[in-house]
Structures are given as C-alpha cells and as structure tokens.
Amino acid sequence: MKKMIFLLNLFLGFSTYAAGLGDLPVQESGRIKPFDTYARESLHLVYGKETYNKKSATDIVFSWLIVPDIWENEPIVLVRHAGLRDALGIAGTNLYFSPVELMSNTRLNPLIQDLRSKTDVKEKLNPFDQAVQTLENQLSIFHAIRSGMGLHILPPETGDAWIGIQSLESPWKEGFLQISQNFVKALSAEGKIQNKDLPDSERVQIKNELAEARVALNESVQSFIAQIEAKYGDYSHRNKIKAELIYNKAMPFRWAWVLYFLGLVFFTVVYSGGRATYEKAAWAFTGLAFLFHTFGFSLRIFIMERPPVSNMFETVVWVAWGTIVLATILYRVNHIRIAPLAATMVATLSLILCDVSSSVLDDSLSPLEPVLRDNFWLATHVVIIVSSYAAFFLAFFIGDIMLYYFLKDEKKYAKQIQDGTLAIYRAMQVGVVLIFVGIILGGIWADYSWGRFWGWDPKETWAFIAFMGYLIILHGRVAGWLKQFGLAAAAVLSFSLVIMAWYGVNFVLGAGLHTYGFGAGGVEYVSAFVAVHILYVAYVSTLRQSRRKSLKEPMN
Amino acid sequence: MNQFEKWIERVYRFFASLKLAVIVMSGLAILSAIGTIVEARYDTQYAQKLVYQSVWMYLVLGLLCVNLINVMIDRLPWKKRHMGFLFAHAGIVILVLGSLITKVYGIDGSMVFDIGQKNKYVLLQDNEFAVFSTFGDGGYKQIKTIPADFLRNPPEKKPVEISLGDKKLRILKYQHFSVRDEKIISSPGESDAGQAVRVQLQNDRVNMTKWLMRTPSMDMDIADLGPAQIILAMPGANMSHISGNAIVLFADKTDILKYEIHTKSKNGITAKGTLRAGDSVSTGWMGIELRILKFIPEAIKKVEYIAKETPSGVTTPSLLLEYNGAQHWLGLNSNLKLYTDISMYLVSFRNQVYPLDFEISLDQFRIGRYQGTRRAMTYESDVSIDGVGKQTISMNNPMKHKGLTFYQASFQENEKGEPITSILSVNKDPGRPFKYLGSFLITLGTILMFYFKQKMFGSTKTNAQTENT
C-alpha cells in the first residue's frame, strides 16, 4: 500500500510539471493528442530523436513555427539510407541536412515522381523507395509545422476537422498570439543564459526572467484551453490528455526494464547459490518493475480505449508482461525456481528493445484499421496468441540456460537441469494450448466477420506452423525421443518459428491480409539472433557428443 | 503368423505410428511455409492453387486422417484416461472433414454494387471461359462454358480446343500476371479500320501529346484537356454543339486533315485549314502550337498482354487464342468478337458467377472517417431485399439471408474521394458446424490430456528422476 501511495505521488508530481505548452491539445492522424506527443513524434520523424541538443521536443518543434527561417538552414533532417544520400549526391559521413538544402536538391523531385508512379499502381516498395517516402514525409511535416498548417488546435463550428493555426480567427487568434509571445520571451531568456560570458549577477536575474516567462507561457496555454472549453466543453478529453502527458514523461517501460534488470541480477545470484535473502530483493525489484509495466500499458488502454496488442511494439510489451505472469505461476504452483530468472531475462530484453529501437517498433498511439475495431476479438484472439508467444519465449530462455549447464557440467547441475526440463515442458504445454485456442478464435473472428474460417493467410499460417513445431516436440517428448538435452535444444530452435510468425511475417514476408501490422527494419539483427542460437545449439550438441564418446557412455 | 499377416501388421503399425505423425506434421508445416513464401512473391491465388490446394496438401491431410484414426483404434478398448486423447485426435479429423466440405460445397465470392444499384450475381474466385453465338438479331446464346483453371492446367501443356462451326478455337497460352498494352498500327484495307492522330500541344510551359482514334462505329473521339477539347470527327460532321475552346480535326482515308479552332472568348471558329503529318499551326491560345506528330488514315488498335514475373496493381490474367488463322489476346473479364464469313462468336474470359434467387439493392453506403483525416474508420452498406426489408451491413457485422452470409468487404471511391461502390463478400459454408465441433473437441481434449498427464507426472516422479541424463 505504501508503495502505491509513493507511486501515486510520483506521478502527481509529474502531472503538475507537465502543464505547459505540451499540454495543448492538437488534432492529428485521426485523434486528439497533447502537443507534447505531437512534437515528440514530429521531431522523431524528422530528426530521429525525441530531443535536440538536450532541448525538449515541445520547445524545438514550437520554435519551428515561431522562427522558421533559422530552422530552414539547420541540419535537422536525418537521411538514414546511404543509397538515398548517394542518389541525392550528398554522400559522406554526414547524416543530417537542412530542409533548404534538401528542398533545393534538384535530384529529389525525380525520385519522388518515381515513387508516385509506383504507389499509383500499388507496387511493392523496396527499402530505397521507403527511404524516399520517409524523406518526403520528413520535409512535408517540417513544412506543415513551420507554416502552421499542420497544427490543428481549435475544434470547428461544424464537421470534425480541427482548424489550423494559420486560419485562426478572433478571438482565438489573440489567445494563440499570447502563447507565441510568451514563448518568444522564454526563448530569448534561454538564449541569454547560454552565453558563457554572462556575469553571475545578471545570470540570476535572467534565470528569474526565464522562470517568469515559463509561468506566463503555461498560464497563456491554460487560458487558451479554458477559452475553448468555455465554448466547446471538454473538447479534448482532458483526462486522456493528462494521462498521455504522464505516459510521455514517466517513461514507465524504461523504469520497468531497469528494475527487471535488477531483479534479473538478484535472481541470477540466488540461482547460482547466493544467499536466500537476495531472493526477496529479486522479487521486490521484479514486483516494482511489474507495477511500472502494468501502469504503462494501463495508460495506453485508457488513452486509446482498446486492448494493448494492436502493433509490434504493444505485442512485445505484452509478451514481457505475460512471461512474468506465467513464470510467477510456475514458481508458485510447480516450484520451478528457474522460471522467474528466465522471465526477467525475457522482460528485460523485450523492454530494452522497445526502448531503443523505436524506428522499428513504433510506439506511437495510432488509430486502428476498420477491421480491427472490435475490442472483444482484439482482447481474445490477439491477446491469447501473443500470450502463447510469451510462454514459448520463456521456454526459449530456459532452454538457453539449460544448454549452458550442459556445456558446463551436466552431472553437477543435474538438479537444475531437471528443474529446467520440467519448466520447458510446462511452458510449452501452456503455449500450445494458448496458440491453438488463439488460432481457433482467429478462425471464429474471421468466420464471423468475413465468412472464412481459414484462408491460409501468412500470419495465421505461420502461427499454425509454429503450433505444428511445438506439437512435434511435445509428441517427441511423450514418445521419449526427446530427453532433457533434446527438449532444451528444441525449445531454443523452435522459437525461430515463433519469431517468424511474430516478426517475420510482418517485416520479412510483408504479405497477406494482416497488412495493418507491417513494418520494416531490424531484419539483420533478428536474423543474427536466430543464427547465433542455432550455432549455440550446434556447438553444445557437438561438444556434448565428443565428451560422451571419450567417456564411452551410451548416447541419449 | 504367416508372411502376409506380418506384412499387414507392419503396414498397420506404420500408419498408427508416431513416426508417421511427425512426418505428417512436418509435411504440413513445410508445405504451409512454402505457401507463405509463394504468396509473398506472387499472389494469394497462386499460393492457393499451387500449394494449399495441391495434390501434396491433400495427400498430407489424407495421411493425417489415416494416422489419427489408426492411433485411436490402436488404443482400443478405450478407458477413461483416454478421453482427452480421443477428443483431441477425433477433433482434428472432424476439423479436416469440415474444411473438405467447405471446399466442395461452399460458396465464397463477392458482389459489387454502385449506390442505388441492384444486383443478384455473386462473382466467384474461379474463372470460366464462355463462348456465345449470335444470329445477327442482337441476341446471344451461350453455346459452351468451360472452367478456366489455367493456373493449375496451363494450356501450353494441356491444349484446349473448342469447335466453333467448322473451325477450331485454340487456347494457346495463359499468363497469370500480364499488363495490357495497346498499340495503334496502320492496317490498310482492314474493314473496321479508323483514323488515328497523334497530336502535340506546346508552348514554353505546356508540352503534351495525345493519341486520338475514331473507328467507323464512332461519331467522334474526344480528348478532354480541361480548358479545351480536341475532337477527331469524320468530314462534314456537325460541330454546332461546341461552345468552349476546341480543336476539331476532320479525317477520312485520305492523308489530309482539315482542322477548325473554336475559341470561346471569340464565340466561334477562329482558324481553319488543312494539315498533314508533321505540320503545325498556332492555336491562338497563349502561344500554344498544335502539331500533328502522326496521322494514320487506316488504323486499328492492337491489344497485347505482356507477361510479368510478379504481380503489381495493374497486372491481370490473360489468354492467347487462335481462331481462323489469327491470334488474339483476351484479358480477364473482357470479351472478344470472332468472325468467320458466315457467323460471329463472342468469347468471354471471366469470373464464374453464382446467381442468387433474389435481388439485393444498395440503398446507401457510408464511410466514417477518423477525425480530421481521410482515413476510413468504419464503412457500412444499407441494403434492401424485396419482401425482407432493409438492413445495414458493416465491418464485423454481416447479414444472413437464405443460408448465405453477406459481409462488408471493401469499397471504391471516385476521383473526388466520395464512395460510389460497395463490395460485399458472399459466403456459404456447410462445413462450419464440423469446424466448430472439431475445434471444441481439440481444445477440450488437449486440456484434459494435460490434466491427466499432470496426474501421471506426479505418480511417476521417481521415474522422471531416474531418466538418463
């Protein structure tokens, strides 16, 4: 209970801090979001990061609007694709270019024309085309912001498309002007502070000025919102805006992985023979991480009013969460001590991936395609399928650890190996039931919505292939073909099928009806991850065989 | 036991063995994986016909059922602990049976309506090749229809011949991915040849070229360029209806063109004269010059389909036909007229059609969009059926009628972005109860099995500990 109160205070603190420019509701991409989110997403798209020179996205992006001429010539546009830089004749080590430099590049327009001719006939885009598309988006969003056309901040009298800044009329225009003026004041005060030659006496004074300007800025934003609310009521769903600000500022998933990692360290110490008191610490960290984790996706559920499993990012978060839940059950019910160790590994790895690879795992909160707008099926079919990935992921890491014991000394670690074998078997059983029920629910959803129970769509087909893989393993185990080593190796190898179903279909195959989940990037890392594990299994397996031969023992 | 009995026993053992089960499961997994790769490279139909509905797939599924039935027989007499095992394995057989029933007796197609239109024809996924004859009275009679599963039975390997009168119509070639290509070529003496002109309009800011072609059956061909029109007509045609800016070209089988330039601001003809290929003349509009790049007095359009390796948004299946010594291309869902001296035939390569015994009309179609964007959030069709009444079909909310189910599948918009056409998918699935029953049994059985396993695991714990490590 004390923990809860502590957390509550922490977040309330965040929420008062959040009030300001970032608080301003903006309509974009089919939903209302705080300017804070809008600015982070825009800066991330254009510049590749959510901050610029340690300055917040809200300040940077708002200044695109206020002092566009300065930004036109700043190298803020990230061109990641080396082939595209070559094609534009700007090859070299520099990745950042100014909007003017790119807009005046005569080679860009023909590339965009080529892209158009491809998109017009719905041709599949290769990575180069996608890079052109990204660059076009980057330039157009910069242009939309600097001209004010992209910032829709006022609900209309009729219809539902909000009004952009450049078309504001009295009295809204004056309200917004107030915000701009206060922003300029804060900006210039901040500029003065940057000056290193400033005498200390003046520094104090300017710091005060800055603080005042910030307060004035916040007040003008609040009064602008109040002005609109006086006419349109709760036009922006205030509570959701607040929740989203908390979500942006608190970074619950980052806290979660840091804490999971601490949990993992303590579990490792305990499991390799450390003092039992450390186990309490391990559970405490894991529990705290779990609270942050749960809090994070609860906020996403609250903001978007849907189960948190609609894109790659959300499923990775969910898998991490499901693994912790499953491991806790295995620990409590079957007393499998290795489960929480492997689960914190899964959770740490997954959430670090979510944190660092935002260009691949898109964490933005975007509206759903029409077919997915059914919370019942999202909450059953998708949640259950993704939960099965969690079970297989757990089996995978336990398998990894088991292989390590086989590598070291399988006699000495016989107890651990047996513990692990049971855990893998249990996790696979849970996974197989979940994936089967998930596939069938998908069939029922498809039957109910499209009249097709099974259509060999790549996503469902790969789920089926993974299901077959695990079914073979379970049968092999029952028949006694797979002993302890075999099961551990199978747990590691068969996870490749899950990776294909989960990631490969969307990012490598890129075909089928589940088009709402397509993305790009990370293929080389994922392939390397799979390859390394195959080599690991092969290495341990050969080593073990040669050892057995030298001992002249019968083979398993 | 004699040799024969031993042999029978061994075959039975194999068909009831776990070894076969693993082979079958691996086979299913591998075939499915191949299918997904084929689908990613080609298209859904390609993968369906050549992988998922291939002989191999049926063989593997057949073996699966044999294997499952045998393992169940093998456990006779059944005991209570076998319950989960039996449910799960029988469930799979029932599920496969359900899928087979769907494949054989089910209907899976689509219906396309414009708003305000009625329709009673369901377009199926499979294609057919139909031949009609005509007797000059304008009516057609269907004389031959054959299923056109050319993806699986390519005519290059298995020639298709249809007798029409005393001559044979041959299907020479099938291209699953091809792009329509239209060429205008000179063909003097051809009876239905018309006139074709390639014109260029040019000033220092505008440069456009355009083909115009008028066949004998047409009054004129018009190219609409927004602020002006270019019209190709026959000499002496009445042009009094023109009120805007227009260039009129009069052409017949001679190689001289007459032209008239109508200018709106001057209320009539501002220039006229004659032109040959290569000549140019000023239009008097913003310094735009008109040039005749090419003029073919006796031209025909030649349609060809060029094969492509992989699909794109513009590819379509096509056939190459031979009749009466000439070769013709025919794209999917198009028609072709074939003549001999005495008769005329119409051939059609098209989707198979399933006629409903009632009509559906699309009264209204709506798209709900995400606020402030063009992105569709929901779409729904208001339909009505005579004697039944009105109903709304939307995503995740289908309509059932006379054993068929109608689902909202897709829509089309016009250039202004207004929805004009709704596409419903239409479905009948007699295998449905089997699939649901099978799924239910598998789920129940698996859970029961694991439950009994767990009990067994507890009693055989010592056994597990002595397992060779």
Side-chain angles (χ1 to χ4, degrees):
Chain A
M1 199 57 215
K2 266 184 184 167
K3 246 182 248 165
M4 289 296 286
I5 291 170
F6 164 73
L7 274 179
L8 206 64
N9 276 325
L10 192 64
F11 290 127
L12 285 177
F14 273 125
S15 71
T16 46
Y17 169 68
L21 200 49
D23 210 10
L24 188 68
V26 177
Q27 185 193 48
E28 197 235 0
S29 298
R31 72 179 188 101
I32 301 162
K33 52 177 81 165
F35 180 70
D36 184 54
T37 304
Y38 177 82
R40 281 167 192 263
E41 286 173 356
S42 306
L43 188 62
H44 188 265
L45 176 70
V46 174
Y47 183 63
K49 291 179 200 149
E50 287 190 4
T51 53
Y52 179 83
N53 282 346
K54 292 180 186 159
K55 291 223 172 63
S56 74
T58 34
D59 284 355
I60 296 298
V61 172
F62 201 72
S63 67
W64 291 356
L65 176 75
I66 304 296
V67 282
D69 300 339
I70 295 173
W71 289 103
E72 292 263 283
N73 294 301
E74 280 292 306
I76 48 165
V77 184
L78 169 67
V79 185
R80 242 197 216 104
H81 196 275
L84 177 57
R85 292 199 302 275
D86 281 344
L88 291 173
I90 49 174
T93 51
N94 182 21
L95 303 183
Y96 296 94
F97 304 90
S98 73
V100 162
E101 197 179 344
L102 290 164
M103 301 254 213
S104 60
N105 190 317
T106 50
R107 300 188 196 181
L108 181 59
N109 215 21
L111 292 178
I112 290 175
Q113 295 302 327
D114 283 352
L115 174 72
R116 277 285 176 288
S117 64
K118 281 190 181 177
T119 51
D120 281 351
V121 297
K122 291 179 185 137
E123 209 170 292
K124 259 189 206 166
L125 298 182
N126 61 31
F128 181 83
D129 301 326
Q130 285 168 355
V132 177
Q133 202 169 32
T134 305
L135 180 57
E136 194 194 357
N137 286 342
Q138 288 171 307
L139 292 174
S140 85
I141 200 145
F142 176 78
H143 182 73
I145 293 169
R146 64 148 288 181
S147 66
M149 281 190 295
L151 272 173
H152 303 275
I153 57 168
L154 179 69
E157 298 274 345
T158 54
D160 61 7
W162 284 21
I163 297 161
I165 284 173
Q166 88 288 4
S167 341
L168 288 181
E169 282 168 13
S170 205
W172 318 109
K173 203 174 176 178
E174 288 74 20
F176 186 74
L177 200 65
Q178 199 66 50
I179 297 176
S180 312
Q181 282 165 353
N182 287 324
F183 180 77
V184 171
K185 270 184 208 158
L187 201 66
S188 65
E190 222 154 90
K192 281 182 203 158
I193 289 179
Q194 302 280 317
N195 182 2
K196 287 199 177 98
D197 303 331
L198 201 67
D200 281 354
S201 54
E202 270 182 59
R203 187 173 291 270
V204 173
Q205 192 202 337
I206 290 172
K207 272 196 174 157
N208 283 337
E209 266 176 38
L210 175 61
E212 272 168 33
R214 284 277 168 200
V215 169
L217 175 60
N218 293 353
E219 276 169 2
S220 55
V221 170
Q222 296 311 324
S223 77
F224 184 70
I225 296 170
Q227 192 186 1
I228 303 175
E229 273 176 349
K231 182 165 180 196
Y232 293 100
D234 186 14
Y235 75 110
S236 63
H237 305 286
R238 211 73 208 109
N239 287 334
K240 285 193 184 175
I241 294 280
K242 280 203 176 120
E244 193 163 344
L245 285 168
I246 293 172
Y247 176 78
N248 288 347
K249 293 258 158 59
M251 291 183 285
F253 300 130
R254 181 169 298 170
W255 285 105
W257 77 248
V258 169
L259 292 163
Y260 278 134
F261 179 71
L262 291 173
L264 169 62
V265 169
F266 279 96
F267 275 124
T268 314
V269 171
V270 174
Y271 200 71
S272 34
R275 265 188 287 160
T277 43
Y278 288 150
E279 186 152 4
K280 283 209 173 113
W283 279 110
F285 282 123
T286 307
L288 201 54
F290 189 74
L291 283 178
F292 271 98
H293 196 165
T294 313
F295 180 71
F297 73 67
S298 305
L299 281 177
R300 289 182 76 104
I301 295 172
F302 174 71
I303 297 163
M304 298 307 287
E305 295 177 357
R306 67 174 187 228
V309 285
S310 69
N311 65 16
M312 203 65 197
F313 172 88
E314 290 184 334
T315 58
V316 174
V317 169
W318 181 264
V319 160
W321 193 83
T323 316
I324 297 290
V325 172
L326 178 61
T328 310
I329 294 169
L330 286 177
Y331 179 83
R332 303 284 295 202
V333 176
N334 299 80
H335 310 288
I336 300 168
R337 290 177 58 225
I338 199 168
L341 172 64
T344 44
M345 279 168 85
V346 172
T348 309
L349 177 72
S350 305
L351 294 183
I352 287 179
L353 276 180
C354 289
D355 201 6
V356 300
S357 60
S358 53
S359 62
V360 177
L361 300 174
D362 178 15
D363 65 344
S364 65
L365 294 150
S366 20
L368 291 178
E369 293 296 319
V371 284
L372 283 184
R373 289 178 56 84
D374 192 312
N375 281 342
F376 172 73
W377 291 113
L378 265 185
T380 51
H381 160 63
V382 188
V383 164
I384 289 175
I385 285 264
V386 175
S387 301
S388 80
Y389 299 167
F392 296 135
F393 210 162
L394 188 66
F396 166 82
F397 264 132
I398 299 172
D400 255 1
I401 301 169
M402 290 304 103
L403 289 178
Y404 172 77
Y405 286 132
F406 278 107
L407 189 68
K408 283 288 169 192
D409 185 344
E410 56 190 275
K411 288 261 159 57
K412 187 177 157 197
Y413 296 110
K415 176 78 189 70
Q416 279 89 339
I417 288 176
Q418 188 174 337
D419 189 31
T421 309
L422 178 63
I424 292 174
Y425 193 65
R426 280 279 170 276
M428 281 190 183
Q429 283 184 322
V430 171
V432 160
V433 171
L434 287 175
I435 202 170
F436 179 74
V437 171
I439 290 171
I440 291 302
L441 284 171
I444 295 173
W445 183 6
D447 189 29
Y448 170 74
S449 301
W450 299 275
R452 217 163 293 156
F453 191 83
W454 185 261
W456 295 108
D457 180 70
K459 193 81 181 171
E460 65 192 32
T461 307
W462 272 100
F464 171 75
I465 295 168
F467 171 62
M468 282 290 121
Y470 283 97
L471 215 49
I472 292 172
I473 296 169
L474 289 185
H475 279 88
R477 175 70 184 163
V478 171
W481 297 343
L482 290 174
K483 298 277 165 55
Q484 295 179 329
F485 177 77
L487 194 65
V492 174
L493 293 178
S494 54
F495 192 65
S496 315
L497 300 177
V498 174
I499 290 181
M500 189 63 198
W502 186 8
Y503 168 88
V505 172
N506 301 50
F507 288 72
V508 182
L509 280 182
L513 294 168
H514 289 75
T515 40
Y516 24 81
F518 287 162
V523 177
E524 59 277 22
Y525 298 105
V526 176
S527 315
F529 181 80
V530 172
V532 163
H533 279 93
I534 293 173
L535 288 176
Y536 179 44
V537 172
Y539 174 69
V540 180
S541 169
T542 356
L543 201 76
R544 189 165 169 266
Q545 282 194 16
S546 61
R547 263 187 212 160
R548 302 208 138 219
K549 262 187 199 145
S550 63
L551 288 170
K552 291 194 177 139
E553 271 188 15
M555 282 286 303
N556 263 340
Chain B
M1 219 192 283
N2 64 31
Q3 279 299 313
F4 181 68
E5 277 174 346
K6 262 189 195 162
W7 187 79
I8 289 283
E9 173 70 14
R10 268 172 60 188
V11 171
Y12 170 72
R13 278 286 135 229
F14 174 71
F15 279 111
S17 70
L18 196 58
K19 214 178 271 174
L20 179 64
V22 169
I23 293 171
V24 165
M25 283 190 277
S26 312
L28 267 179
I30 291 165
L31 275 178
S32 313
I34 293 171
T36 60
I37 294 164
V38 169
E39 172 157 359
R41 175 149 174 78
Y42 301 105
D43 67 359
T44 309
Q45 212 189 359
Y46 216 89
Q48 291 277 353
K49 293 274 180 198
L50 299 180
V51 183
Y52 299 127
Q53 293 165 21
S54 67
V55 183
W56 298 108
M57 198 54 144
Y58 283 105
L59 185 74
V60 171
L61 287 174
L63 277 177
L64 174 70
C65 291
V66 170
N67 188 221
L68 289 168
I69 292 166
N70 279 336
V71 292
M72 286 190 284
I73 294 172
D74 204 38
R75 299 289 191 286
L76 281 169
W78 296 331
K79 304 218 172 64
K80 200 183 156 199
R81 69 186 160 87
H82 284 133
M83 207 159 65
F85 166 86
L86 289 172
F87 280 174
H89 290 74
I92 301 171
V93 178
I94 294 171
L95 189 65
V96 173
L97 185 72
S99 312
L100 190 68
I101 292 172
T102 304
K103 180 79 194 75
V104 178
Y105 300 104
I107 290 169
D108 187 1
S110 61
M111 285 178 95
V112 183
F113 306 78
D114 289 343
I115 295 171
Q117 240 183 13
K118 282 186 174 186
N119 193 354
K120 61 178 287 195
Y121 296 104
V122 180
L123 295 175
L124 303 178
Q125 286 187 340
D126 285 331
N127 300 328
E128 65 180 11
F129 185 80
V131 183
F132 303 83
S133 68
T134 178
F135 303 101
D137 55 356
Y140 288 97
K141 192 175 150 241
Q142 195 161 346
I143 54 172
K144 180 106 185 158
T145 307
I146 57 166
D149 188 1
F150 296 124
L151 201 53
R152 236 185 315 211
N153 308 310
E156 295 95 317
K157 281 189 192 156
K158 209 170 153 190
V160 182
E161 281 190 356
I162 299 165
S163 294
L164 293 185
D166 55 346
K167 298 200 169 58
K168 285 214 181 343
L169 170 66
R170 285 193 188 83
I171 299 176
L172 301 177
K173 197 172 173 185
Y174 172 70
Q175 296 179 156
H176 191 62
F177 307 118
S178 59
V179 177
R180 186 186 155 97
D181 183 50
E182 220 178 65
K183 272 191 202 136
I184 293 175
I185 57 168
S186 176
S187 179
E190 185 81 38
S191 63
D192 55 351
Q195 287 75 47
V197 187
R198 188 166 164 78
V199 295
Q200 181 184 40
L201 290 175
Q202 192 181 26
N203 67 5
D204 42 348
R205 279 189 297 150
V206 179
N207 184 3
M208 58 183 349
T209 57
K210 201 98 198 169
W211 267 112
L212 285 114
M213 178 165 171
R214 186 187 70 82
T215 58
S217 59
M218 295 161 68
D219 284 337
M220 59 186 77
D221 188 20
I222 302 174
D224 211 328
L225 307 177
Q229 286 183 323
I230 307 179
I231 301 169
L232 180 66
M234 60 197 258
N238 181 7
M239 288 294 137
S240 59
H241 62 278
I242 293 176
S243 59
N245 295 320
I247 297 167
V248 188
L249 300 168
F250 300 97
D252 55 18
K253 288 183 182 179
T254 62
D255 57 356
I256 297 175
L257 282 164
K258 282 188 194 143
Y259 75 91
E260 282 175 3
I261 295 174
H262 297 244
T263 305
K264 190 179 183 183
S265 57
K266 307 229 168 93
N267 286 321
I269 300 172
T270 48
K272 62 199 295 183
T274 58
L275 291 167
R276 284 167 190 270
D279 291 350
S280 59
V281 62
S282 169
T283 59
W285 310 331
M286 296 183 297
I288 295 177
E289 204 175 52
L290 167 76
R291 183 185 293 273
I292 306 298
L293 294 177
K294 212 163 184 183
F295 172 44
I296 307 173
E298 286 178 273
I300 56 162
K301 260 186 201 162
K302 197 164 156 66
V303 174
E304 253 187 84
Y305 282 84
I306 296 161
K308 295 278 169 195
E309 184 69 10
T310 51
S312 73
V314 291
T315 55
T316 173
S318 61
L319 291 174
L320 180 62
L321 311 174
E322 189 185 61
Y323 184 68
N324 202 10
Q327 292 193 347
H328 309 271
W329 284 101
L330 180 60
L332 182 63
N333 289 322
S334 64
N335 302 324
L336 179 73
K337 283 176 183 160
L338 298 171
Y339 305 92
T340 63
D341 296 339
I342 47 165
S343 50
M344 188 180 102
Y345 299 98
L346 184 82
V347 293
S348 175
F349 176 40
R350 59 184 190 184
N351 284 102
Q352 282 178 21
V353 166
Y354 174 83
L356 301 176
D357 56 4
F358 52 91
E359 263 189 337
I360 303 178
S361 55
L362 178 68
D363 302 330
Q364 198 45 262
F365 179 75
R366 285 180 301 274
I367 300 184
R369 300 187 195 270
Y370 281 108
Q371 47 174 293
T373 66
R374 306 283 314 150
R375 256 180 91 169
M377 178 167 77
T378 57
Y379 34 104
E380 50 189 33
S381 300
D382 288 343
V383 297
S384 54
I385 299 171
D386 278 344
V388 179
K390 291 179 182 302
Q391 203 170 334
T392 301
I393 304 173
S394 62
M395 269 288 166
N396 295 331
N397 186 19
M399 168 181 83
K400 285 187 169 37
H401 186 61
K402 288 199 174 176
L404 293 156
T405 317
F406 299 82
Y407 306 85
Q408 183 67 56
S410 185
F411 62 90
Q412 284 165 2
E413 294 174 335
N414 62 12
E415 307 85 53
K416 289 180 205 153
E418 297 158 344
I420 45 165
T421 306
S422 173
I423 301 171
L424 303 180
S425 77
V426 184
N427 187 281
K428 187 166 119 180
D429 188 359
R432 183 174 287 134
F434 293 89
K435 293 181 200 168
Y436 280 75
L437 176 64
S439 307
F440 175 71
L441 285 177
I442 299 169
T443 314
L444 185 67
T446 316
I447 291 167
L448 280 176
M449 241 193 308
F450 288 161
Y451 173 71
F452 281 114
K453 273 282 147 52
Q454 192 148 7
K455 283 182 110 179
M456 278 158 64
F457 212 96
S459 64
T460 55
K461 206 158 197 176
T462 43
N463 194 13
Q465 269 165 355
T466 56
E467 188 178 5
N468 196 357
T469 51

